[in-house]
Amino acid sequence: MKTTKIRLTSIEAVRDFVEVVRQFDGDIDLSSGRYVVDAKSIMGIFSLDLMNPITLTAHSTDENCEKLMESVKAYIAE
């Protein structure tokens, strides 16, 4: 399992992010406050507060998590 903060600032960013995470097996969640949604769901992502960074949690093997983090590095909030 791996966790990081990401920022999705536009509709295009959400669409591109979903296309990237759909390529990976395993559960990938996004959470904001007490709400948790599937990161592969565009509608779910838009139900979150995107004004602030949101938490990405990948539930997969360490190797798969590392590949995912590399693929979404453009969205990681630092």
mmCIF file of all heavy atoms in Angstrom, residues 8-57:
data_model
loop_
_atom_site.group_PDB
_atom_site.id
_atom_site.type_symbol
_atom_site.label_atom_id
_atom_site.label_comp_id
_atom_site.label_asym_id
_atom_site.label_seq_id
_atom_site.Cartn_x
_atom_site.Cartn_y
_atom_site.Cartn_z
ATOM 1 N N LEU A 8 -5.745 17.853 -8.481
ATOM 2 C CA LEU A 8 -6.388 17.820 -9.789
ATOM 3 C C LEU A 8 -7.072 19.175 -9.974
ATOM 4 O O LEU A 8 -8.046 19.468 -9.303
ATOM 5 C CB LEU A 8 -7.392 16.668 -9.868
ATOM 6 C CG LEU A 8 -6.785 15.274 -9.669
ATOM 7 C CD1 LEU A 8 -7.879 14.231 -9.525
ATOM 8 C CD2 LEU A 8 -5.858 14.930 -10.813
ATOM 9 N N THR A 9 -6.536 19.998 -10.885
ATOM 10 C CA THR A 9 -6.955 21.396 -10.960
ATOM 11 C C THR A 9 -7.911 21.723 -12.102
ATOM 12 O O THR A 9 -8.375 22.851 -12.186
ATOM 13 C CB THR A 9 -5.721 22.303 -11.084
ATOM 14 O OG1 THR A 9 -4.963 21.898 -12.228
ATOM 15 C CG2 THR A 9 -4.852 22.212 -9.838
ATOM 16 N N SER A 10 -8.178 20.760 -12.970
ATOM 17 C CA SER A 10 -9.070 21.047 -14.097
ATOM 18 C C SER A 10 -9.800 19.784 -14.535
ATOM 19 O O SER A 10 -9.432 18.667 -14.138
ATOM 20 C CB SER A 10 -8.273 21.607 -15.285
ATOM 21 O OG SER A 10 -7.430 20.602 -15.825
ATOM 22 N N ILE A 11 -10.815 19.974 -15.349
ATOM 23 C CA ILE A 11 -11.561 18.833 -15.895
ATOM 24 C C ILE A 11 -10.629 17.948 -16.718
ATOM 25 O O ILE A 11 -10.684 16.720 -16.631
ATOM 26 C CB ILE A 11 -12.750 19.328 -16.738
ATOM 27 C CG1 ILE A 11 -13.761 20.035 -15.833
ATOM 28 C CG2 ILE A 11 -13.407 18.177 -17.495
ATOM 29 C CD1 ILE A 11 -14.845 20.778 -16.585
ATOM 30 N N GLU A 12 -9.762 18.575 -17.489
ATOM 31 C CA GLU A 12 -8.817 17.813 -18.312
ATOM 32 C C GLU A 12 -7.858 16.998 -17.449
ATOM 33 O O GLU A 12 -7.520 15.868 -17.782
ATOM 34 C CB GLU A 12 -8.021 18.743 -19.235
ATOM 35 C CG GLU A 12 -8.850 19.396 -20.316
ATOM 36 C CD GLU A 12 -9.647 20.603 -19.820
ATOM 37 O OE1 GLU A 12 -9.317 21.176 -18.757
ATOM 38 O OE2 GLU A 12 -10.630 20.959 -20.498
ATOM 39 N N ALA A 13 -7.420 17.590 -16.339
ATOM 40 C CA ALA A 13 -6.515 16.874 -15.437
ATOM 41 C C ALA A 13 -7.204 15.645 -14.846
ATOM 42 O O ALA A 13 -6.595 14.575 -14.751
ATOM 43 C CB ALA A 13 -6.035 17.799 -14.319
ATOM 44 N N VAL A 14 -8.475 15.771 -14.478
ATOM 45 C CA VAL A 14 -9.230 14.637 -13.932
ATOM 46 C C VAL A 14 -9.353 13.550 -15.001
ATOM 47 O O VAL A 14 -9.100 12.372 -14.732
ATOM 48 C CB VAL A 14 -10.616 15.077 -13.426
ATOM 49 C CG1 VAL A 14 -11.468 13.868 -13.069
ATOM 50 C CG2 VAL A 14 -10.481 16.009 -12.234
ATOM 51 N N ARG A 15 -9.719 13.947 -16.207
ATOM 52 C CA ARG A 15 -9.873 12.976 -17.299
ATOM 53 C C ARG A 15 -8.557 12.240 -17.570
ATOM 54 O O ARG A 15 -8.519 11.016 -17.670
ATOM 55 C CB ARG A 15 -10.353 13.688 -18.566
ATOM 56 C CG ARG A 15 -10.625 12.722 -19.711
ATOM 57 C CD ARG A 15 -10.825 13.422 -21.036
ATOM 58 N NE ARG A 15 -9.565 14.048 -21.412
ATOM 59 C CZ ARG A 15 -9.440 15.291 -21.864
ATOM 60 N NH1 ARG A 15 -10.483 16.059 -22.001
ATOM 61 N NH2 ARG A 15 -8.259 15.768 -22.180
ATOM 62 N N ASP A 16 -7.458 12.993 -17.658
ATOM 63 C CA ASP A 16 -6.160 12.376 -17.932
ATOM 64 C C ASP A 16 -5.709 11.480 -16.777
ATOM 65 O O ASP A 16 -5.162 10.400 -16.998
ATOM 66 C CB ASP A 16 -5.111 13.452 -18.205
ATOM 67 C CG ASP A 16 -5.399 14.229 -19.479
ATOM 68 O OD1 ASP A 16 -6.191 13.742 -20.321
ATOM 69 O OD2 ASP A 16 -4.837 15.329 -19.628
ATOM 70 N N PHE A 17 -5.968 11.922 -15.548
ATOM 71 C CA PHE A 17 -5.616 11.130 -14.375
ATOM 72 C C PHE A 17 -6.345 9.791 -14.381
ATOM 73 O O PHE A 17 -5.751 8.742 -14.150
ATOM 74 C CB PHE A 17 -5.947 11.919 -13.095
ATOM 75 C CG PHE A 17 -5.735 11.141 -11.843
ATOM 76 C CD1 PHE A 17 -4.469 11.008 -11.293
ATOM 77 C CD2 PHE A 17 -6.807 10.529 -11.196
ATOM 78 C CE1 PHE A 17 -4.277 10.285 -10.130
ATOM 79 C CE2 PHE A 17 -6.623 9.811 -10.042
ATOM 80 C CZ PHE A 17 -5.356 9.683 -9.509
ATOM 81 N N VAL A 18 -7.643 9.815 -14.671
ATOM 82 C CA VAL A 18 -8.439 8.583 -14.699
ATOM 83 C C VAL A 18 -7.920 7.645 -15.785
ATOM 84 O O VAL A 18 -7.818 6.431 -15.575
ATOM 85 C CB VAL A 18 -9.937 8.894 -14.880
ATOM 86 C CG1 VAL A 18 -10.739 7.629 -15.163
ATOM 87 C CG2 VAL A 18 -10.485 9.596 -13.644
ATOM 88 N N GLU A 19 -7.547 8.175 -16.941
ATOM 89 C CA GLU A 19 -6.992 7.333 -18.005
ATOM 90 C C GLU A 19 -5.715 6.642 -17.546
ATOM 91 O O GLU A 19 -5.486 5.473 -17.866
ATOM 92 C CB GLU A 19 -6.720 8.171 -19.252
ATOM 93 C CG GLU A 19 -7.971 8.556 -20.007
ATOM 94 C CD GLU A 19 -7.668 9.354 -21.264
ATOM 95 O OE1 GLU A 19 -6.561 9.220 -21.826
ATOM 96 O OE2 GLU A 19 -8.549 10.114 -21.681
ATOM 97 N N VAL A 20 -4.894 7.342 -16.784
ATOM 98 C CA VAL A 20 -3.643 6.750 -16.287
ATOM 99 C C VAL A 20 -3.925 5.652 -15.264
ATOM 100 O O VAL A 20 -3.390 4.550 -15.369
ATOM 101 C CB VAL A 20 -2.730 7.841 -15.665
ATOM 102 C CG1 VAL A 20 -1.563 7.216 -14.918
ATOM 103 C CG2 VAL A 20 -2.229 8.784 -16.751
ATOM 104 N N VAL A 21 -4.775 5.933 -14.263
ATOM 105 C CA VAL A 21 -4.983 4.948 -13.197
ATOM 106 C C VAL A 21 -5.766 3.732 -13.663
ATOM 107 O O VAL A 21 -5.630 2.662 -13.070
ATOM 108 C CB VAL A 21 -5.622 5.563 -11.928
ATOM 109 C CG1 VAL A 21 -4.713 6.606 -11.319
ATOM 110 C CG2 VAL A 21 -6.982 6.120 -12.190
ATOM 111 N N ARG A 22 -6.550 3.863 -14.708
ATOM 112 C CA ARG A 22 -7.291 2.707 -15.225
ATOM 113 C C ARG A 22 -6.374 1.644 -15.816
ATOM 114 O O ARG A 22 -6.779 0.506 -16.003
ATOM 115 C CB ARG A 22 -8.314 3.142 -16.271
ATOM 116 C CG ARG A 22 -9.547 3.752 -15.656
ATOM 117 C CD ARG A 22 -10.606 4.038 -16.667
ATOM 118 N NE ARG A 22 -11.811 4.547 -16.014
ATOM 119 C CZ ARG A 22 -12.785 5.150 -16.635
ATOM 120 N NH1 ARG A 22 -12.734 5.339 -17.940
ATOM 121 N NH2 ARG A 22 -13.833 5.577 -15.961
ATOM 122 N N GLN A 23 -5.129 1.996 -16.093
ATOM 123 C CA GLN A 23 -4.166 1.045 -16.650
ATOM 124 C C GLN A 23 -3.599 0.102 -15.582
ATOM 125 O O GLN A 23 -2.922 -0.862 -15.909
ATOM 126 C CB GLN A 23 -3.012 1.793 -17.308
ATOM 127 C CG GLN A 23 -3.441 2.656 -18.466
ATOM 128 C CD GLN A 23 -2.309 3.520 -18.976
ATOM 129 O OE1 GLN A 23 -1.156 3.316 -18.641
ATOM 130 N NE2 GLN A 23 -2.647 4.507 -19.792
ATOM 131 N N PHE A 24 -3.874 0.382 -14.317
ATOM 132 C CA PHE A 24 -3.294 -0.386 -13.219
ATOM 133 C C PHE A 24 -4.329 -1.297 -12.570
ATOM 134 O O PHE A 24 -5.478 -0.923 -12.403
ATOM 135 C CB PHE A 24 -2.698 0.560 -12.172
ATOM 136 C CG PHE A 24 -1.475 1.280 -12.665
ATOM 137 C CD1 PHE A 24 -1.594 2.502 -13.306
ATOM 138 C CD2 PHE A 24 -0.224 0.717 -12.524
ATOM 139 C CE1 PHE A 24 -0.481 3.154 -13.793
ATOM 140 C CE2 PHE A 24 0.899 1.366 -13.000
ATOM 141 C CZ PHE A 24 0.770 2.586 -13.637
ATOM 142 N N ASP A 25 -3.871 -2.499 -12.199
ATOM 143 C CA ASP A 25 -4.712 -3.439 -11.468
ATOM 144 C C ASP A 25 -4.731 -3.039 -9.995
ATOM 145 O O ASP A 25 -3.882 -2.301 -9.527
ATOM 146 C CB ASP A 25 -4.167 -4.864 -11.597
ATOM 147 C CG ASP A 25 -4.288 -5.388 -13.020
ATOM 148 O OD1 ASP A 25 -5.228 -4.977 -13.720
ATOM 149 O OD2 ASP A 25 -3.436 -6.199 -13.415
ATOM 150 N N GLY A 26 -5.679 -3.561 -9.292
ATOM 151 C CA GLY A 26 -5.769 -3.297 -7.866
ATOM 152 C C GLY A 26 -6.655 -2.102 -7.573
ATOM 153 O O GLY A 26 -7.063 -1.367 -8.463
ATOM 154 N N ASP A 27 -6.952 -1.930 -6.297
ATOM 155 C CA ASP A 27 -7.805 -0.830 -5.870
ATOM 156 C C ASP A 27 -6.970 0.424 -5.685
ATOM 157 O O ASP A 27 -5.909 0.393 -5.049
ATOM 158 C CB ASP A 27 -8.499 -1.171 -4.556
ATOM 159 C CG ASP A 27 -9.553 -2.244 -4.713
ATOM 160 O OD1 ASP A 27 -10.113 -2.356 -5.828
ATOM 161 O OD2 ASP A 27 -9.819 -2.968 -3.746
ATOM 162 N N ILE A 28 -7.483 1.520 -6.221
ATOM 163 C CA ILE A 28 -6.858 2.823 -6.047
ATOM 164 C C ILE A 28 -7.966 3.759 -5.583
ATOM 165 O O ILE A 28 -8.968 3.932 -6.274
ATOM 166 C CB ILE A 28 -6.231 3.331 -7.364
ATOM 167 C CG1 ILE A 28 -5.235 2.305 -7.905
ATOM 168 C CG2 ILE A 28 -5.564 4.680 -7.134
ATOM 169 C CD1 ILE A 28 -4.778 2.576 -9.324
ATOM 170 N N ASP A 29 -7.779 4.319 -4.411
ATOM 171 C CA ASP A 29 -8.793 5.180 -3.806
ATOM 172 C C ASP A 29 -8.310 6.615 -3.731
ATOM 173 O O ASP A 29 -7.113 6.876 -3.610
ATOM 174 C CB ASP A 29 -9.128 4.709 -2.389
ATOM 175 C CG ASP A 29 -9.728 3.325 -2.343
ATOM 176 O OD1 ASP A 29 -10.469 2.975 -3.284
ATOM 177 O OD2 ASP A 29 -9.468 2.596 -1.369
ATOM 178 N N LEU A 30 -9.267 7.537 -3.760
ATOM 179 C CA LEU A 30 -9.010 8.945 -3.482
ATOM 180 C C LEU A 30 -9.880 9.329 -2.305
ATOM 181 O O LEU A 30 -11.045 8.928 -2.227
ATOM 182 C CB LEU A 30 -9.362 9.819 -4.690
ATOM 183 C CG LEU A 30 -8.498 9.648 -5.926
ATOM 184 C CD1 LEU A 30 -9.035 10.517 -7.060
ATOM 185 C CD2 LEU A 30 -7.056 9.996 -5.638
ATOM 186 N N SER A 31 -9.326 10.122 -1.392
ATOM 187 C CA SER A 31 -10.108 10.539 -0.238
ATOM 188 C C SER A 31 -9.903 12.017 0.058
ATOM 189 O O SER A 31 -8.832 12.570 -0.161
ATOM 190 C CB SER A 31 -9.754 9.709 0.996
ATOM 191 O OG SER A 31 -8.381 9.828 1.302
ATOM 192 N N SER A 32 -10.987 12.615 0.518
ATOM 193 C CA SER A 32 -10.989 14.014 0.933
ATOM 194 C C SER A 32 -11.886 14.080 2.159
ATOM 195 O O SER A 32 -13.087 13.832 2.059
ATOM 196 C CB SER A 32 -11.523 14.902 -0.196
ATOM 197 O OG SER A 32 -11.633 16.242 0.222
ATOM 198 N N GLY A 33 -11.279 14.379 3.296
ATOM 199 C CA GLY A 33 -12.052 14.353 4.536
ATOM 200 C C GLY A 33 -12.509 12.940 4.827
ATOM 201 O O GLY A 33 -11.734 12.004 4.803
ATOM 202 N N ARG A 34 -13.803 12.768 5.039
ATOM 203 C CA ARG A 34 -14.324 11.429 5.351
ATOM 204 C C ARG A 34 -14.837 10.701 4.116
ATOM 205 O O ARG A 34 -15.366 9.597 4.221
ATOM 206 C CB ARG A 34 -15.417 11.512 6.399
ATOM 207 C CG ARG A 34 -16.620 12.299 5.952
ATOM 208 C CD ARG A 34 -17.593 12.485 7.092
ATOM 209 N NE ARG A 34 -18.738 13.255 6.608
ATOM 210 C CZ ARG A 34 -19.976 12.891 6.751
ATOM 211 N NH1 ARG A 34 -20.265 11.774 7.361
ATOM 212 N NH2 ARG A 34 -20.944 13.634 6.291
ATOM 213 N N TYR A 35 -14.720 11.298 2.940
ATOM 214 C CA TYR A 35 -15.220 10.694 1.703
ATOM 215 C C TYR A 35 -14.106 9.942 0.982
ATOM 216 O O TYR A 35 -13.008 10.465 0.812
ATOM 217 C CB TYR A 35 -15.806 11.761 0.786
ATOM 218 C CG TYR A 35 -16.966 12.487 1.398
ATOM 219 C CD1 TYR A 35 -16.811 13.743 1.964
ATOM 220 C CD2 TYR A 35 -18.219 11.894 1.460
ATOM 221 C CE1 TYR A 35 -17.878 14.405 2.548
ATOM 222 C CE2 TYR A 35 -19.293 12.541 2.050
ATOM 223 C CZ TYR A 35 -19.113 13.794 2.589
ATOM 224 O OH TYR A 35 -20.174 14.432 3.181
ATOM 225 N N VAL A 36 -14.411 8.728 0.551
ATOM 226 C CA VAL A 36 -13.472 7.896 -0.194
ATOM 227 C C VAL A 36 -14.169 7.428 -1.459
ATOM 228 O O VAL A 36 -15.295 6.926 -1.403
ATOM 229 C CB VAL A 36 -13.015 6.672 0.638
ATOM 230 C CG1 VAL A 36 -12.069 5.797 -0.171
ATOM 231 C CG2 VAL A 36 -12.370 7.119 1.938
ATOM 232 N N VAL A 37 -13.494 7.604 -2.620
ATOM 233 C CA VAL A 37 -14.063 7.176 -3.893
ATOM 234 C C VAL A 37 -13.025 6.375 -4.675
ATOM 235 O O VAL A 37 -11.824 6.448 -4.405
ATOM 236 C CB VAL A 37 -14.542 8.382 -4.749
ATOM 237 C CG1 VAL A 37 -15.624 9.160 -4.033
ATOM 238 C CG2 VAL A 37 -13.393 9.284 -5.139
ATOM 239 N N ASP A 38 -13.501 5.641 -5.653
ATOM 240 C CA ASP A 38 -12.644 4.885 -6.565
ATOM 241 C C ASP A 38 -11.946 5.871 -7.490
ATOM 242 O O ASP A 38 -12.590 6.682 -8.150
ATOM 243 C CB ASP A 38 -13.505 3.906 -7.366
ATOM 244 C CG ASP A 38 -12.704 2.995 -8.268
ATOM 245 O OD1 ASP A 38 -11.474 3.182 -8.401
ATOM 246 O OD2 ASP A 38 -13.312 2.085 -8.851
ATOM 247 N N ALA A 39 -10.618 5.814 -7.553
ATOM 248 C CA ALA A 39 -9.850 6.737 -8.397
ATOM 249 C C ALA A 39 -10.086 6.502 -9.884
ATOM 250 O O ALA A 39 -9.730 7.342 -10.706
ATOM 251 C CB ALA A 39 -8.360 6.621 -8.086
ATOM 252 N N LYS A 40 -10.706 5.387 -10.237
ATOM 253 C CA LYS A 40 -10.983 5.087 -11.641
ATOM 254 C C LYS A 40 -12.348 5.604 -12.068
ATOM 255 O O LYS A 40 -12.776 5.372 -13.191
ATOM 256 C CB LYS A 40 -10.889 3.577 -11.863
ATOM 257 C CG LYS A 40 -9.493 3.032 -11.556
ATOM 258 C CD LYS A 40 -9.443 1.532 -11.653
ATOM 259 C CE LYS A 40 -8.070 1.022 -11.230
ATOM 260 N NZ LYS A 40 -7.974 -0.425 -11.297
ATOM 261 N N SER A 41 -13.033 6.334 -11.178
ATOM 262 C CA SER A 41 -14.377 6.841 -11.446
ATOM 263 C C SER A 41 -14.367 8.366 -11.577
ATOM 264 O O SER A 41 -14.147 9.082 -10.595
ATOM 265 C CB SER A 41 -15.316 6.445 -10.302
ATOM 266 O OG SER A 41 -16.520 7.166 -10.380
ATOM 267 N N ILE A 42 -14.620 8.848 -12.778
ATOM 268 C CA ILE A 42 -14.660 10.296 -13.003
ATOM 269 C C ILE A 42 -15.749 10.928 -12.135
ATOM 270 O O ILE A 42 -15.525 11.959 -11.494
ATOM 271 C CB ILE A 42 -14.885 10.620 -14.495
ATOM 272 C CG1 ILE A 42 -13.633 10.266 -15.293
ATOM 273 C CG2 ILE A 42 -15.238 12.090 -14.688
ATOM 274 C CD1 ILE A 42 -13.770 10.439 -16.784
ATOM 275 N N MET A 43 -16.928 10.338 -12.111
ATOM 276 C CA MET A 43 -18.026 10.891 -11.317
ATOM 277 C C MET A 43 -17.678 10.906 -9.830
ATOM 278 O O MET A 43 -18.002 11.862 -9.122
ATOM 279 C CB MET A 43 -19.321 10.107 -11.558
ATOM 280 C CG MET A 43 -19.861 10.242 -12.962
ATOM 281 S SD MET A 43 -20.209 11.942 -13.429
ATOM 282 C CE MET A 43 -21.619 12.257 -12.412
ATOM 283 N N GLY A 44 -17.019 9.863 -9.363
ATOM 284 C CA GLY A 44 -16.612 9.821 -7.969
ATOM 285 C C GLY A 44 -15.634 10.932 -7.630
ATOM 286 O O GLY A 44 -15.747 11.588 -6.598
ATOM 287 N N ILE A 45 -14.680 11.171 -8.509
ATOM 288 C CA ILE A 45 -13.683 12.219 -8.272
ATOM 289 C C ILE A 45 -14.352 13.587 -8.188
ATOM 290 O O ILE A 45 -14.019 14.400 -7.330
ATOM 291 C CB ILE A 45 -12.595 12.198 -9.361
ATOM 292 C CG1 ILE A 45 -11.768 10.906 -9.241
ATOM 293 C CG2 ILE A 45 -11.691 13.422 -9.245
ATOM 294 C CD1 ILE A 45 -10.793 10.681 -10.370
ATOM 295 N N PHE A 46 -15.318 13.838 -9.057
ATOM 296 C CA PHE A 46 -15.983 15.139 -9.033
ATOM 297 C C PHE A 46 -16.867 15.328 -7.803
ATOM 298 O O PHE A 46 -17.315 16.440 -7.533
ATOM 299 C CB PHE A 46 -16.767 15.386 -10.322
ATOM 300 C CG PHE A 46 -15.890 15.794 -11.466
ATOM 301 C CD1 PHE A 46 -15.841 15.029 -12.613
ATOM 302 C CD2 PHE A 46 -15.117 16.936 -11.392
ATOM 303 C CE1 PHE A 46 -15.033 15.405 -13.675
ATOM 304 C CE2 PHE A 46 -14.302 17.314 -12.440
ATOM 305 C CZ PHE A 46 -14.255 16.546 -13.580
ATOM 306 N N SER A 47 -17.111 14.279 -7.030
ATOM 307 C CA SER A 47 -17.874 14.430 -5.795
ATOM 308 C C SER A 47 -16.978 14.886 -4.638
ATOM 309 O O SER A 47 -17.470 15.195 -3.563
ATOM 310 C CB SER A 47 -18.585 13.128 -5.436
ATOM 311 O OG SER A 47 -17.660 12.149 -5.010
ATOM 312 N N LEU A 48 -15.662 14.908 -4.862
ATOM 313 C CA LEU A 48 -14.725 15.330 -3.828
ATOM 314 C C LEU A 48 -14.461 16.830 -3.913
ATOM 315 O O LEU A 48 -14.698 17.459 -4.946
ATOM 316 C CB LEU A 48 -13.394 14.577 -3.983
ATOM 317 C CG LEU A 48 -13.428 13.066 -3.828
ATOM 318 C CD1 LEU A 48 -12.049 12.486 -4.136
ATOM 319 C CD2 LEU A 48 -13.873 12.674 -2.438
ATOM 320 N N ASP A 49 -13.909 17.384 -2.839
ATOM 321 C CA ASP A 49 -13.482 18.783 -2.812
ATOM 322 C C ASP A 49 -12.121 18.873 -3.492
ATOM 323 O O ASP A 49 -11.105 18.530 -2.901
ATOM 324 C CB ASP A 49 -13.391 19.268 -1.361
ATOM 325 C CG ASP A 49 -12.844 20.682 -1.252
ATOM 326 O OD1 ASP A 49 -12.792 21.390 -2.274
ATOM 327 O OD2 ASP A 49 -12.482 21.074 -0.125
ATOM 328 N N LEU A 50 -12.092 19.334 -4.738
ATOM 329 C CA LEU A 50 -10.849 19.388 -5.510
ATOM 330 C C LEU A 50 -10.091 20.692 -5.318
ATOM 331 O O LEU A 50 -9.042 20.901 -5.930
ATOM 332 C CB LEU A 50 -11.149 19.161 -6.992
ATOM 333 C CG LEU A 50 -11.778 17.807 -7.333
ATOM 334 C CD1 LEU A 50 -12.051 17.704 -8.827
ATOM 335 C CD2 LEU A 50 -10.892 16.658 -6.873
ATOM 336 N N MET A 51 -10.612 21.578 -4.475
ATOM 337 C CA MET A 51 -9.924 22.846 -4.212
ATOM 338 C C MET A 51 -8.654 22.612 -3.378
ATOM 339 O O MET A 51 -7.730 23.416 -3.419
ATOM 340 C CB MET A 51 -10.844 23.825 -3.487
ATOM 341 C CG MET A 51 -12.058 24.228 -4.298
ATOM 342 S SD MET A 51 -11.635 25.033 -5.854
ATOM 343 C CE MET A 51 -10.934 26.548 -5.247
ATOM 344 N N ASN A 52 -8.609 21.533 -2.636
ATOM 345 C CA ASN A 52 -7.463 21.183 -1.795
ATOM 346 C C ASN A 52 -6.867 19.876 -2.287
ATOM 347 O O ASN A 52 -7.540 19.102 -2.982
ATOM 348 C CB ASN A 52 -7.911 21.032 -0.338
ATOM 349 C CG ASN A 52 -8.468 22.322 0.209
ATOM 350 O OD1 ASN A 52 -7.838 23.368 0.100
ATOM 351 N ND2 ASN A 52 -9.662 22.263 0.762
ATOM 352 N N PRO A 53 -5.602 19.601 -1.936
ATOM 353 C CA PRO A 53 -5.027 18.307 -2.312
ATOM 354 C C PRO A 53 -5.854 17.158 -1.744
ATOM 355 O O PRO A 53 -6.443 17.274 -0.664
ATOM 356 C CB PRO A 53 -3.634 18.333 -1.681
ATOM 357 C CG PRO A 53 -3.315 19.776 -1.520
ATOM 358 C CD PRO A 53 -4.637 20.447 -1.237
ATOM 359 N N ILE A 54 -5.923 16.067 -2.486
ATOM 360 C CA ILE A 54 -6.650 14.884 -2.049
ATOM 361 C C ILE A 54 -5.656 13.732 -1.884
ATOM 362 O O ILE A 54 -4.570 13.755 -2.460
ATOM 363 C CB ILE A 54 -7.789 14.510 -3.026
ATOM 364 C CG1 ILE A 54 -7.280 14.406 -4.460
ATOM 365 C CG2 ILE A 54 -8.906 15.512 -2.956
ATOM 366 C CD1 ILE A 54 -8.342 14.054 -5.478
ATOM 367 N N THR A 55 -6.034 12.758 -1.094
ATOM 368 C CA THR A 55 -5.132 11.644 -0.788
ATOM 369 C C THR A 55 -5.389 10.478 -1.719
ATOM 370 O O THR A 55 -6.510 10.006 -1.844
ATOM 371 C CB THR A 55 -5.333 11.190 0.673
ATOM 372 O OG1 THR A 55 -5.122 12.314 1.531
ATOM 373 C CG2 THR A 55 -4.369 10.084 1.033
ATOM 374 N N LEU A 56 -4.335 10.032 -2.381
ATOM 375 C CA LEU A 56 -4.385 8.842 -3.238
ATOM 376 C C LEU A 56 -3.815 7.679 -2.439
ATOM 377 O O LEU A 56 -2.727 7.799 -1.876
ATOM 378 C CB LEU A 56 -3.566 9.067 -4.511
ATOM 379 C CG LEU A 56 -3.504 7.887 -5.465
ATOM 380 C CD1 LEU A 56 -3.518 8.391 -6.896
ATOM 381 C CD2 LEU A 56 -2.287 7.031 -5.247
ATOM 382 N N THR A 57 -4.546 6.579 -2.382
ATOM 383 C CA THR A 57 -4.077 5.366 -1.713
ATOM 384 C C THR A 57 -4.177 4.205 -2.687
ATOM 385 O O THR A 57 -5.257 3.913 -3.195
ATOM 386 C CB THR A 57 -4.926 5.060 -0.459
ATOM 387 O OG1 THR A 57 -4.915 6.205 0.397
ATOM 388 C CG2 THR A 57 -4.365 3.861 0.291
#
